[in-house]
Amino acid sequence: MYSEEIEALLRNKRIEVGDRIVVFKKGKRYEGILMPRIELGDKSCLILKLDNGYNIGIKFEKGVKIKKVRKEWKIEKPKAEGKKILIFDKKLPLISIIGTGGTIASRIDYRTGGVYASFSPNDIAMQIPELREIANIKVEQIMNIMSEDMSPERWIEIARAVAKEINSGSRGIIVTHGTDTLHYTSAALSFMLKDLPCPVALVGSQRSSDRGSSDAVMNVACAANFVTNSDVAEVCVVMHGSISDDYCFAIRGTRARKMHTSRRDAFKSINELPIAKIYWESRKIEILNENYRKRSESKVRVDDKIERKVALIKCYPGLNPDIFDFYLEKGYKGFVIEATGLGHVPTLGEYSLLPKIEEATKSGIPVVITSQCLYGRTHPTIYHNLRELLKRGAIFACDMLPEVAYVKLMFVLGHTKNLEKVKEIMLTNLAGEISERIEYE
């Protein structure tokens, strides 16, 4: 946690995080509670919470002395929780909640002011009384991370856990997840879960579950209603549809995008209608988009072959084309460019990306063009410079979201490295990620 020198001194004086201590430095006296060092903080800086509630950092240097006053409180790490079944009514169907962490599984430590991923799926289920009238619940926590720490390897772990629950008889699955990268995971599961026979709802919250303003209760309740009572068999994101506590949207996993840092209705369905609107109090499920996969009796299988070395590059004025050299030297197998407008990238002078794109495609490395506009689609034939990209082998990803194209290219390259085959699959609608197929030369 702290530097080796500080840790040795703390051990020698039997001081732990949570103890009240006094620090003497350069004739000044500081008293407070020893706090854990923040992850990115200076290892040689002691963190004290003063009695006024503020935290201060004290640089540990020669001559600094520390004295323990007493133990104030103890920080306990959350314990991992295994599987647990909550039977409310034997007549109700069984659904599964798989916990991965995130704000929805977090609580505030009011002593430190920090938010920790420390609620279990069982905690979440038990604080939502509505669930007792909807379904029996099987809960399992498979990881406990904030969503910024999500990774392709963890996508695979989640997909396998979901498939296991479905094939064991669960009527539907809820995956609790942090919101910031939830749409990456929803896209990954959309491509990995084949022959899906029931709904999988990814659910997060914008406020930690122990806050009065938390949106977790309604989101989970609506998700439970959706996976239990709808006939949809797709991966969806289920979150608030407005800033009020009235309804949630079920958004196709390849169409969801977090569009606000903190609003309850942060997630929007891009370039198509949400699949369904789920009302909280009445529990009515209103289908808004009839184009969806329906329930079946099939067994789901996991296709988790992915190529991790894919780069997502945002295009901006002054982007140095040499960035491609870095990735190529590192052995990257594919690129997704988040271009401007209809798919524009710099094509003139020293900032032109054309030579690098051509170099990559001639080497058999696909370059996929998406738009950072999000709404609308790329179109390679309207402007001359777009046609130049097309001539050099760039693949225009229609109206696919950049994050979805990134995940899909990882998936496609996990199955083939043949450039023509990659292009064919990237332009094939696998999981609702493309709303319309446009042929072009």
Side-chain angles (χ1 to χ4, degrees), residues 255-322:
R255 289 294 181 178
R257 181 60 147 71
K258 186 174 182 181
M259 301 294 286
H260 198 280
T261 59
S262 57
R263 283 173 60 116
R264 290 176 166 209
D265 58 343
F267 282 83
K268 303 297 182 185
S269 184
I270 310 298
N271 290 321
E272 77 166 15
L273 289 172
I275 290 178
K277 188 175 185 179
I278 308 116
Y279 293 89
W280 185 19
E281 293 185 355
S282 69
R283 296 184 193 162
K284 176 185 176 183
I285 299 175
E286 179 184 354
I287 297 299
L288 304 178
N289 184 347
E290 295 288 348
N291 179 28
Y292 62 87
R293 178 184 172 89
K294 292 181 172 58
R295 282 186 184 268
S296 69
E297 298 299 322
S298 63
K299 291 286 187 179
V300 66
R301 59 186 178 87
V302 178
D303 185 347
D304 57 15
K305 296 178 181 178
I306 59 174
E307 170 57 64
R308 291 159 179 80
K309 288 202 167 185
V310 172
L312 175 58
I313 300 175
K314 188 178 185 72
C315 189
Y316 55 87
L319 172 65
N320 192 326
D322 291 345

Side-chain angles (χ1 to χ4, degrees), residues 219-237:
N219 291 343
V220 174
C222 287
N225 183 21
F226 177 70
V227 302
T228 303
N229 298 314
S230 79
D231 68 340
V232 177
E234 294 207 21
V235 175
C236 293
V237 170

Side-chain angles (χ1 to χ4, degrees), residues 61-106:
E61 299 169 341
K62 187 176 181 180
V64 171
K65 295 182 180 180
I66 305 174
K67 178 184 176 181
K68 179 176 177 177
V69 178
R70 63 178 179 271
K71 178 164 291 298
E72 200 77 30
W73 39 258
K74 184 177 180 63
I75 292 181
E76 296 182 359
K77 293 183 179 180
K79 296 178 180 179
E81 181 177 292
K83 293 182 180 179
K84 187 173 183 179
I85 298 180
L86 307 175
I87 301 296
F88 302 124
D89 184 338
K90 291 183 179 180
K91 296 179 181 179
L92 295 174
L94 180 69
I95 65 173
S96 297
I97 299 179
I98 296 173
T100 69
T103 299
I104 191 170
S106 298

Side-chain angles (χ1 to χ4, degrees), residues 45-281:
C45 189
L46 288 164
I47 307 298
L48 288 188
K49 177 174 283 294
L50 304 179
D51 290 336
N52 62 13
Y54 286 96
N55 288 1
I56 63 168
I58 303 172
K59 188 75 172 179
F60 187 78
E61 299 169 341
K62 187 176 181 180
V64 171
K65 295 182 180 180
I66 305 174
K67 178 184 176 181
K68 179 176 177 177
V69 178
R70 63 178 179 271
K71 178 164 291 298
E72 200 77 30
W73 39 258
K74 184 177 180 63
I75 292 181
E76 296 182 359
K77 293 183 179 180
K79 296 178 180 179
E81 181 177 292
K83 293 182 180 179
K84 187 173 183 179
I85 298 180
L86 307 175
I87 301 296
F88 302 124
D89 184 338
K90 291 183 179 180
K91 296 179 181 179
L92 295 174
L94 180 69
I95 65 173
S96 297
I97 299 179
I98 296 173
T100 69
T103 299
I104 191 170
S106 298
R107 69 170 83 227
I108 299 174
D109 186 328
Y110 289 98
R111 298 166 301 182
T112 67
V115 176
Y116 297 90
S118 60
F119 271 13
S120 69
N122 182 59
D123 292 327
I124 296 170
M126 291 304 293
Q127 70 172 330
I128 304 173
E130 291 91 340
L131 296 184
R132 299 172 182 272
E133 301 173 3
I134 297 173
N136 297 313
I137 312 293
K138 184 178 181 182
V139 294
E140 181 182 11
Q141 184 171 322
I142 62 172
M143 62 188 73
N144 194 17
I145 61 170
M146 303 304 278
S147 70
E148 57 266 28
D149 292 315
M150 191 55 66
S151 66
E153 290 75 19
R154 289 180 168 128
W155 294 339
I156 293 172
E157 186 178 351
I158 296 170
R160 290 174 178 174
V162 168
K164 183 177 179 181
E165 291 304 308
I166 292 173
N167 291 335
S168 296
S170 285
R171 180 167 173 79
I173 310 295
I174 295 172
V175 178
T176 60
H177 192 293
T179 59
D180 287 351
T181 63
L182 187 150
H183 50 299
Y184 287 86
T185 302
S186 69
L189 296 183
S190 297
F191 295 125
M192 288 183 183
L193 296 173
K194 299 297 186 182
D195 302 322
L196 190 63
C198 66
V200 176
L202 282 91
V203 183
S205 67
Q206 294 285 77
R207 309 283 191 279
S208 59
S209 296
D210 60 339
R211 290 187 178 184
S213 62
S214 177
D215 48 331
V217 170
M218 191 182 110
N219 291 343
V220 174
C222 287
N225 183 21
F226 177 70
V227 302
T228 303
N229 298 314
S230 79
D231 68 340
V232 177
E234 294 207 21
V235 175
C236 293
V237 170
V238 176
M239 294 284 288
H240 264 59
S242 73
I243 60 173
S244 300
D245 290 332
D246 43 13
Y247 61 86
C248 286
F249 282 133
I251 303 170
R252 196 187 312 273
T254 54
R255 289 294 181 178
R257 181 60 147 71
K258 186 174 182 181
M259 301 294 286
H260 198 280
T261 59
S262 57
R263 283 173 60 116
R264 290 176 166 209
D265 58 343
F267 282 83
K268 303 297 182 185
S269 184
I270 310 298
N271 290 321
E272 77 166 15
L273 289 172
I275 290 178
K277 188 175 185 179
I278 308 116
Y279 293 89
W280 185 19
E281 293 185 355

Side-chain angles (χ1 to χ4, degrees), residues 374-388:
L374 305 183
Y375 289 97
R377 63 187 307 113
T378 59
H379 203 302
T381 60
I382 294 179
Y383 291 94
H384 172 73
N385 56 357
L386 296 174
R387 291 194 292 271
E388 290 298 315

